[in-house]
Amino acid sequence: MDDDLGQPVTLPARVERVVSLVPSLTEALASARRDALVGVTDWCTHPADLADDPRVTRVRGTKNPDVRRVVDLAPDVVVANKEENRELDVRRLREAGVPVWVTDVVDVPGAVGSMERLLDALGWPRPPWLERARADWCGPVPAVRGRVVVPVWRDPWMVVGPDTFTADLLRRLGLEVAGGDPASGRYPRAEVGELDAAGADLVLLPDEPYVFTASDGPEAFALTPTRLVSGRLLTWYGPSLGDARAHVAEATRDLE
């Protein structure tokens, strides 16, 4: 079968050993076959008890995986993502004879479809949350009810651009991302004064990748109200989609 980039991936009849280099995919795969996960990155924090599982080996980060350690785990397949992981590491793994399945996710329906294809390729059952995600997230897009700035870093300030999974998730909840110049990339840089004056209704400050807190982030915005939100529920595509709608609704209730 071909992965999301059209690359043929040869898998055994039974896939029993998987290394995941993407935190959201780790959580999703664990919901289907927890026992088959043999390696994950240091950033894979969910399921919450994953850190206590002696059967799962940590293979460093998403941008600098320990390729030799991954190879030594003898996985049936390594699961990666076009944005999260480096093409260099994918190439090195393939050159070492390890099958790599690369996902490519830019919006919520694409994420749901990508997970369906991946699980089908692995021969694993689709967990109930995936069917609910298709029903809850893949319908018509509602009218815009508010505009939000979503920083993902500071010093320099970087924000979520429109051509991203997070922007699409928010748009499906009636929110349009603002701030920065979309022509400069998916996560454009901007001066904080520019973001504060962008005319947004709210600034949503997630706790990842930059850990915004009550004392680190809100003080930079004098004109626009701020809300602290879960980065996982805004940026991960997996079982977290089940909680994302209620979480964002609570954070943006003043826009109703």
Side-chain angles (χ1 to χ4, degrees):
M1 297 185 66
D2 293 351
D3 66 14
D4 287 359
L5 302 185
Q7 178 72 30
V9 182
T10 302
L11 299 174
R14 291 178 57 86
V15 177
E16 302 289 347
R17 297 179 63 80
V18 176
V19 172
S20 172
L21 300 182
V22 187
S24 52
L25 292 178
T26 296
E27 183 180 26
L29 292 170
S31 72
R33 280 284 310 275
R34 171 69 177 265
D35 61 302
L37 275 178
V38 297
V40 301
T41 75
D42 294 346
W43 300 108
C44 294
T45 58
H46 285 75
D49 61 349
L50 191 64
D52 301 322
D53 193 334
R55 300 169 300 174
V56 180
T57 298
R58 297 286 172 166
V59 296
R60 285 205 312 242
T62 59
K63 306 296 186 186
N64 66 333
D66 186 331
V67 172
R68 175 46 53 191
R69 180 174 293 181
V70 173
V71 172
D72 288 345
L73 287 171
D76 295 322
V77 66
V78 171
V79 179
N81 175 262
K82 179 181 176 181
E83 181 177 61
E84 289 273 354
N85 307 115
R86 300 188 306 169
E87 192 277 334
L88 173 64
D89 295 316
V90 171
R91 186 172 71 250
R92 287 173 172 169
L93 286 166
R94 285 175 173 160
E95 289 173 350
V98 178
V100 183
W101 183 284
V102 181
T103 62
D104 185 16
V105 172
V106 295
D107 55 32
V108 181
V112 172
S114 177
M115 278 304 311
E116 290 171 341
R117 288 190 300 276
L118 172 58
L119 290 169
D120 290 350
L122 298 178
W124 294 1
R126 297 182 182 182
W129 69 263
L130 189 55
E131 182 177 354
R132 291 194 298 269
R134 177 162 290 285
D136 292 345
W137 289 99
C138 298
V141 178
V144 174
R145 63 184 178 89
R147 300 175 72 241
V148 294
V149 171
V150 188
V152 293
W153 205 258
R154 71 177 300 176
D155 300 328
W157 286 86
M158 300 174 66
V159 298
V160 167
D163 187 26
T164 58
F165 170 85
T166 298
D168 185 67
L169 181 145
L170 292 170
R171 184 64 189 82
R172 291 171 183 278
L173 298 176
L175 302 169
E176 184 176 68
V177 296
D181 178 7
S184 65
R186 288 159 56 83
Y187 299 94
R189 294 187 181 189
E191 297 296 327
V192 67
E194 173 193 341
L195 298 176
D196 200 15
D201 299 293
L202 280 176
V203 176
L204 301 180
L205 296 169
D207 57 5
E208 63 174 82
Y210 188 93
V211 184
F212 289 104
T213 66
S215 60
D216 186 355
E219 81 290 344
F221 296 89
L223 304 176
T224 314
T226 62
R227 298 287 186 276
L228 297 174
V229 293
S230 165
R232 171 174 166 265
L233 296 183
L234 259 63
T235 64
W236 288 31
Y237 37 92
S240 57
L241 286 169
D243 298 321
R245 184 179 297 274
H247 180 71
V248 174
E250 174 64 21
T252 61
R253 65 186 183 277
D254 294 343
L255 301 182
E256 300 295 337

